[in-house]
Amino acid sequence: IDKTQTIIMLNRGQPLDRFQEDLEHTASSIKDKIHEELGLFISIGISQPFTSLAMSKRAYLEGLEALTYRLKSGKHTVIFYEHLDRNKAFLTQFPKQIQNELFEAIKTCNRKQAAEQLHLLLESICSENMNPHHCQVAIARLLNNLIEFMHLLGIEIFEPNENTMLYDDVFELTTIEEIESWLNAQIIVKMIDTLSIREESQYKNISEKIVHIIQQEFDTDLTLESIAGRLHYNPNYLSSIFRKEMKISFSEYLSSYRHHIAKNWLTETTLSVKEISEKLKYKNPQNFIRSFKKLEGITPGKYRELKNHSA
């Protein structure tokens, strides 16, 4: 049923504890024999015992629920539904600092370090979130952040309509090892390869040069005129090229990138709103607050409060 093999086991008068032992022994024998004969790793989810065959549907759903814990238990295990921690408290833990180190490794095109940070990140997600559903939420958040980071770097490794399919692809996987391998091969390595090609070409594309300068010097008094002088181009020419290639003006991209940095600082640092506005070169905090509220619908202080509350 739906890619699962379903078996009903009957208890013919055994004491319940003995029947449970037999179930575990039988399940372990099945998975070990399949691995021995076919070289396949399987997991088996076992429902609670029921007194009527009419409860088979519920038993089937409990078995599926047990199998979601493969994300934490691994791909070669027997999982009893009644042993699960089904705490529904929605307190998803997410290791932001490790994610930042992963993103830095991607930016510097360090494959080895990126793979190590991805492993640490997923390991931390699994250890800090006891419920696999919380793990899935954290992994979805990571995938979303990777896609956003990709856009901020000015690179595209997928067609626009493929981005939504990525979530389906990653949640088709059943173990954290499979998810790690998929994220590394399908997203991180491709991002690094794309960035490496860009770096090797020494940012020949004018718009990429401007994007690179913005990302490195967003906290300085950047203007299109100053960049034009450095790149030896006419400012009007740069403006038209940037808008044509990026589908956004220079000032809009600079504001958008600074807004992204502001959100990170609000959630990951103790910098005050005034300090953030100064670092991001707003004339005064009120201009920063108005700009932030226009984009997010709430003030920077409220954004920090909500993010800290949900963390």
Side-chain angles (χ1 to χ4, degrees):
I1 304 173
D2 292 336
K3 300 181 181 179
T4 64
Q5 169 69 40
T6 306
I7 302 171
I8 296 175
M9 301 285 287
L10 299 182
N11 179 11
R12 301 187 183 279
Q14 284 184 306
L16 187 57
D17 57 348
R18 177 61 185 278
F19 179 60
Q20 295 279 55
E21 290 176 7
D22 284 353
L23 273 179
E24 183 166 14
H25 175 74
T26 301
S28 295
S29 297
I30 290 171
K31 72 177 181 63
D32 292 343
K33 191 65 175 176
I34 287 175
H35 181 251
E36 177 186 335
E37 296 292 337
L38 302 176
L40 300 176
F41 290 99
I42 70 163
S43 293
I44 299 176
I46 300 178
S47 73
Q48 300 177 87
F50 292 97
T51 58
S52 167
L53 283 174
M55 300 300 290
S56 296
K57 181 178 180 180
R58 180 173 170 184
Y60 167 68
L61 294 175
E62 287 187 0
L64 286 185
E65 174 75 8
L67 283 176
T68 64
Y69 280 71
R70 283 176 295 187
L71 201 59
K72 296 181 63 65
S73 303
K75 59 183 178 181
H76 193 58
T77 186
V78 176
I79 309 166
F80 282 84
Y81 177 83
E82 61 187 356
H83 296 162
L84 302 183
D85 174 14
R86 297 188 299 280
N87 178 17
K88 296 300 182 182
F90 210 76
L91 298 173
T92 303
Q93 302 297 318
F94 190 83
K96 296 177 185 176
Q97 182 56 40
I98 302 177
Q99 177 187 266
N100 291 343
E101 291 168 4
L102 168 63
F103 285 5
E104 188 61 31
I106 293 172
K107 280 177 66 176
T108 57
C109 300
N110 190 326
R111 283 197 187 200
K112 183 174 183 292
Q113 187 178 356
E116 290 172 354
Q117 293 301 324
L118 175 63
H119 179 77
L120 286 175
L121 180 58
L122 293 174
E123 191 176 63
S124 179
I125 284 174
C126 278
S127 64
E128 294 179 17
N129 294 281
M130 298 307 296
N131 189 305
H133 299 299
H134 297 177
C135 290
Q136 288 180 326
V137 170
I139 291 166
R141 178 175 172 181
L142 170 60
L143 181 56
N144 186 64
N145 291 347
L146 279 167
I147 293 171
E148 182 180 356
F149 185 55
M150 193 189 313
H151 294 327
L152 284 167
L153 291 173
I155 61 175
E156 293 290 344
I157 60 175
F158 303 106
E159 294 296 325
N161 63 334
E162 286 185 294
N163 284 345
T164 54
M165 295 169 59
L166 296 176
Y167 296 91
D168 295 331
D169 291 343
V170 75
F171 289 120
E172 282 287 316
L173 307 173
T174 57
T175 68
I176 203 68
E177 292 82 7
E178 291 175 345
I179 290 172
E180 179 181 341
S181 177
W182 185 89
L183 285 171
N184 193 50
Q186 297 300 318
I187 296 185
I188 292 172
V189 167
K190 289 181 179 180
M191 287 178 69
I192 290 175
D193 287 346
T194 303
L195 289 171
S196 296
I197 292 170
R198 174 193 287 178
E199 186 174 330
E200 289 168 6
S201 66
Q202 298 181 337
Y203 297 94
K204 290 180 180 177
N205 182 287
I206 294 174
S207 295
E208 289 179 348
K209 291 180 182 178
I210 297 172
V211 166
H212 179 66
I213 291 171
I214 290 173
Q215 291 172 0
Q216 297 300 314
E217 304 175 30
F218 62 87
D219 56 350
T220 66
D221 290 313
L222 275 181
T223 64
L224 189 60
E225 287 72 19
S226 66
I227 293 176
R230 289 160 60 178
L231 299 181
H232 308 293
Y233 284 103
N234 178 281
N236 292 333
Y237 174 74
L238 281 192
S239 177
S240 63
I241 291 296
F242 190 90
R243 180 180 285 278
K244 180 179 179 180
E245 294 186 359
M246 301 297 292
K247 313 303 181 186
I248 189 173
S249 71
F250 168 82
S251 60
E252 288 170 334
Y253 184 87
L254 177 59
S255 295
S256 174
Y257 192 79
R258 283 174 170 168
H259 180 72
H260 166 74
I261 296 297
K263 290 197 296 181
N264 283 346
W265 285 351
L266 285 166
T267 57
E268 299 172 14
T269 75
T270 58
L271 291 171
S272 68
V273 170
K274 182 175 183 294
E275 289 171 326
I276 292 174
S277 70
E278 289 173 351
K279 283 179 174 291
L280 295 180
K281 301 305 176 184
Y282 284 87
K283 291 183 178 178
N284 58 64
Q286 289 306 313
N287 284 352
F288 170 58
I289 292 170
R290 279 194 294 270
S291 173
F292 191 96
K293 188 174 182 180
K294 182 178 179 181
L295 292 170
E296 294 295 327
I298 54 177
T299 65
K302 187 65 176 177
Y303 180 89
R304 169 175 275 167
E305 179 184 333
L306 290 174
K307 288 294 181 180
N308 289 340
H309 181 71
S310 63

